């Protein structure tokens, strides 16, 4: 039955992927891509990857689409087509077909779908499933592998999000004094920008005001309850970021910056990475290896070596959530205001 | 027919990756190129998740009984009952990193647009020469 859902949704996904590439209007293309992400999330759930489905629903279908839309708003939504591209496209199609045939030839060497005895399912992952409860008291194996067994991996993934944020910020940021100089020397750049319209809809403001507290409460639940249910730092952080983005969209940019100013955004992004790495360094000083949480029972009250790992995972997840939340918000602010930090969508 | 049912996910992986690759190579609009990149990426994620799926298995959250002091009761856990957590965590972080890199690509696109006033590859090349 699950396989039936899998086949239907995968066929729909193909349709969405083709449409997203061929729609001439970029806005339509982006929205179809959002639908594609959402259908992908159904497929993850069909394959038993519930945490991945959660992440895809919040990140791919949610925040990713917002990023694309805000870029299109500050650039252009028309994709001009030129006839002289046609030959190149056909040639590329031939090249891609060769790659596809080569890949399809290897498909039969792979284990069948849902084969529990395949090499990927028997060696390392079996150890995690069988020992997660005994060693960490965490029923959600994904969380324990994410934050404990493969803590190094997750720490550097958090660093990648941090570095990407710093990159976007430094690429787009325009200092206020610089923009004034640019405006005086080349006034044409100012004229081409669309006139800024104050968002002043009572319905949108009230609705978002009502929704934001519940979103944030749910996000905190997702972060804190990640040990026992699908969720964790990444998903919770993205939902928190999305609630801030909702406020920034429904109000104006001044309100958005009054919640978190630029300085605070940079400080909090770094603080999240610092919490994660700091927990690792504390383990270091207590006589264990870097990110070996079991030694933390020496400073955490009323814990043994097993519960110390469980509690330290929560600390690490909070660090991840902080970095992801603020970097998503910061990326949105940079992209939607084109780095000027004065007006948004 | 049996071949298609057993390997359906992998066939779709190949087609999605072909679409993404073709979009990155052949389409001229920069935003469309980034969308193609994201489609290519979901192809790889689908490959990993399909590897980790098990027929008749539950999600990787272990059903645990607790005693009156909230300590877990020891029980034997069968690897076959739960989907593979390892491939899932690799892809979970990949999705978040993917959207951060997508944001970086979009930032670069905005810079290119503010310089050249176009997102079309050929028009940008014309203004460069």
């Amino acid at each position: 039955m699950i396989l039936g859902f899998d086949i239907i949704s995968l066929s729909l996904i193909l349709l969405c992927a083709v449409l997203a590439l061929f729609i001439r209007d970029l806005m339509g293309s982006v929205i179809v891509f959002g639908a594609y992400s959402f259908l992908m999330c159904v497929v993850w759930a069909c394959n038993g990857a519930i945490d991945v489905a959660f992440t895809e629903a919040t990140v791919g279908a949610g925040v990713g689409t917002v990023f694309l839309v805000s870029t299109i708003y500050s650039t252009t939504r028309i994709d001009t087509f030129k006839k002289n591209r046609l030959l190149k496209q056909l040639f590329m199609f031939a090249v891609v077909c060769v790659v596809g045939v080569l890949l399809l030839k290897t498909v039969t060497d792979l284990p069948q779908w849902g084969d529990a005895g395949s090499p990927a399912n028997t060696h390392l992952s079996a150890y995690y499933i069988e020992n997660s409860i005994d060693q960490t008291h965490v029923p959600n194996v994904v969380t324990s592998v994410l934050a404990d067994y493969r803590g190094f991996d997750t720490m550097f993934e958090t660093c990648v999000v941090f570095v990407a944020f710093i990159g976007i910020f430094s690429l787009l940021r325009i200092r206020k004094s610089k923009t004034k100089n640019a405006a005086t020397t080349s006034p044409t750049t100012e004229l081409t920008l669309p006139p800024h319209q104050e968002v002043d809809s009572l319905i949108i403001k009230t609705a978002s005001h009502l929704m934001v507290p519940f979103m944030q409460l749910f996000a905190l639940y997702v972060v804190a309850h990640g040990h026992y249910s699908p969720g964790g730092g990444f998903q919770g952080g993205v939902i928190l970021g999305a609630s801030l983005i909702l406020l920034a969209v429904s109000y104006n940019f001044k309100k958005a910056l009054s919640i978190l100013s630029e300085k605070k955004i940079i400080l909090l992004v770094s603080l999240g990475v610092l919490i994660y790495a700091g927990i690792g360094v504390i383990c270091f000083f207590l006589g264990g290896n870097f990110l070996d949480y079991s030694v933390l029972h020496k400073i955490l009250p009323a814990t043994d070596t097993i519960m110390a790992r469980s509690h330290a995972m929560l600390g690490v997840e909070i660090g991840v959530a902080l970095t992801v939340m603020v970097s998503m918000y910061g990326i949105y602010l940079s992209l939607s205001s084109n780095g000027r930090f004065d007006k948004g969508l | 027919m049996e071949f298609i049912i057993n390997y359906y996910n992998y066939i779709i992986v190949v087609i999605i990756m072909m679409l993404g690759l073709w979009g990155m190579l052949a389409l001229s609009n920069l935003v469309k190129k980034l969308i193609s990149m994201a489609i290519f990426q979901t192809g790889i994620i689908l490959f990993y998740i399909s590897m980790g799926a098990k027929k008749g298995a539950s999600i990787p959250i272990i059903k645990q009984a607790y005693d009156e002091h909230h300590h877990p009761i020891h029980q034997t856990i069968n690897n076959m009952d739960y989907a593979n957590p390892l491939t899932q965590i690799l892809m979970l972080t990949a999705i978040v990193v993917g959207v951060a890199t997508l944001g970086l690509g979009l930032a670069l696109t905005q810079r290119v647009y503010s310089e050249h006033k176009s997102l079309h590859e050929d028009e940008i090349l014309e203004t460069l020469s």
Side-chain angles (χ1 to χ4, degrees):
Chain A
M1 195 59 208
I2 289 284
L3 188 67
F5 278 123
D6 193 61
I7 288 177
I8 294 168
S9 38
L10 278 175
S11 311
L12 278 173
I13 276 169
L14 270 190
L15 189 71
C16 280
V18 172
L19 276 179
L21 292 187
F22 286 96
I23 291 179
R24 197 62 53 78
D25 183 6
L26 282 181
M27 194 58 84
S29 171
V30 166
I31 298 303
V32 172
F33 181 64
Y36 169 90
S37 274
F38 185 75
L39 283 168
M40 235 15 176
C41 143
V42 176
V43 172
W44 308 147
C46 286
N47 282 296
I50 203 79
D51 278 86
V52 184
F54 202 162
T55 318
E56 180 78 39
T58 53
V59 176
V63 178
T65 313
V66 173
F67 287 174
L68 282 163
V69 168
S70 51
T71 300
I72 289 171
Y73 256 108
S74 45
T75 54
T76 173
R77 63 185 284 181
I78 304 146
D79 177 15
T80 44
F81 179 75
K82 291 190 174 165
K83 279 236 167 74
N84 57 4
R85 297 282 302 188
L86 213 58
L87 197 69
K88 192 186 172 189
Q89 286 184 352
L90 279 175
F91 173 69
M92 289 306 173
F93 182 72
V95 171
V96 167
C97 276
V98 172
V99 175
V101 167
L102 287 176
L103 283 174
L104 273 177
K105 282 218 159 213
T106 62
V107 159
T108 44
D109 294 341
L110 292 166
Q112 293 182 359
W113 183 85
D115 181 10
S118 70
N121 288 340
T122 42
H123 295 288
L124 189 56
S125 65
Y127 175 83
Y128 293 142
I129 291 173
E130 281 153 14
N131 293 298
S132 171
I133 285 272
D134 289 342
Q135 291 177 352
T136 62
H137 284 191
V138 175
N140 188 353
V141 188
V142 175
T143 303
S144 69
V145 178
L146 181 92
D148 190 319
Y149 293 110
R150 293 185 67 89
F152 260 87
D153 189 359
T154 314
M155 191 179 93
F156 286 109
E157 304 266 16
T158 317
C159 289
V160 170
V161 175
F162 170 71
V163 170
F165 164 74
I166 296 292
I168 292 166
F169 204 72
S170 42
L171 264 176
L172 285 180
R173 186 74 185 98
I174 301 166
R175 294 235 164 269
K176 285 225 170 68
S177 54
K178 262 190 185 170
T179 39
K180 263 179 202 163
N181 287 342
T184 47
T185 48
S186 58
T188 46
T189 50
E190 284 300 301
L191 286 174
T192 49
L193 286 170
H196 179 47
Q197 289 166 336
E198 258 328 296
V199 181
D200 209 20
S201 163
L202 185 67
I203 295 171
I204 292 174
K205 278 185 182 177
T206 315
S208 63
H209 236 262
L210 280 173
M211 275 166 71
V212 162
F214 291 105
M215 280 173 79
Q216 290 178 340
L217 196 65
F218 177 65
L220 291 177
Y221 161 79
V222 168
V223 175
H225 211 257
H227 291 36
Y228 300 95
S229 61
F234 284 110
Q235 295 93 329
V238 174
I239 300 173
L240 275 174
S243 71
L244 292 177
I245 290 174
L246 178 64
L247 272 185
V249 171
S250 54
Y251 283 79
N252 51 15
F253 225 75
K254 217 181 254 170
K255 169 89 175 172
L257 283 179
S258 72
I259 306 167
L260 277 177
S261 63
E262 269 183 81
K263 214 175 198 174
K264 272 189 200 155
I265 287 173
I266 295 174
L267 270 178
L268 284 175
V269 169
S270 331
L271 183 67
V273 181
L274 185 73
I275 288 174
Y276 202 138
I279 288 174
V281 171
I282 291 170
C283 301
F284 208 60
F285 282 116
L286 289 173
N289 286 323
F290 188 67
L291 291 174
D292 174 14
Y293 306 138
S294 55
V295 291
L296 284 173
H297 75 276
K298 291 174 188 164
I299 52 167
L300 289 173
T303 48
D304 49 10
T305 51
I306 299 173
M307 279 315 282
R309 287 176 84 164
S310 178
H311 291 323
M313 268 183 234
L314 182 62
V316 162
E317 297 266 24
I318 290 169
V320 171
L322 202 59
T323 302
V324 171
M325 163 185 116
V326 185
S327 59
M328 291 300 148
Y329 187 54
I331 291 172
Y332 165 75
L333 290 187
S334 299
L335 286 178
S336 66
S337 67
N338 213 341
R340 284 182 183 79
F341 275 79
D342 52 359
K343 54 199 174 185
L345 290 184
Chain B
M1 193 61 206
E2 201 156 308
F3 168 80
I4 290 180
I5 286 177
N6 284 333
Y7 294 101
Y8 191 73
N9 280 32
Y10 299 118
I11 296 167
I12 297 287
V13 165
V14 172
I15 299 174
I16 286 177
M17 279 164 75
M18 278 166 70
L19 265 174
L21 191 64
W22 180 81
M24 275 195 282
L25 290 170
L27 294 179
S28 52
N29 191 286
L30 293 179
V31 174
K32 283 239 175 113
K33 271 180 193 285
L34 283 172
I35 291 175
S36 317
M37 190 187 78
I39 287 174
F40 190 86
Q41 188 196 12
T42 47
I44 293 164
I45 296 171
L46 180 61
F47 177 69
Y48 270 72
I49 298 294
S50 309
M51 290 283 257
K54 294 175 191 170
K55 254 182 205 144
S58 171
I59 55 172
I61 297 175
I62 286 159
K63 203 179 170 201
Q64 179 66 34
Y66 291 90
D67 62 11
E68 64 269 23
H69 301 296
H70 301 287
H71 288 300
I73 300 165
H74 188 76
Q75 58 191 18
T76 48
I77 298 155
N78 189 0
N79 175 30
M80 302 297 163
D81 294 342
Y82 301 100
N84 189 341
L86 186 59
T87 53
Q88 296 186 13
I89 97 111
L90 294 175
M91 290 307 105
L92 193 157
T93 45
I95 291 176
V96 179
V97 169
V99 84
T101 46
L102 176 72
L104 192 60
L106 290 172
L108 283 168
T109 311
Q110 289 196 3
R111 291 297 286 161
V112 168
Y113 185 79
S114 63
E115 284 291 320
H116 301 286
K117 297 279 164 272
S118 170
L119 288 179
H120 197 281
E121 212 178 32
D122 296 341
E123 286 170 12
I124 292 165
L125 278 175
E126 271 167 30
T127 51
L128 276 176
S129 57

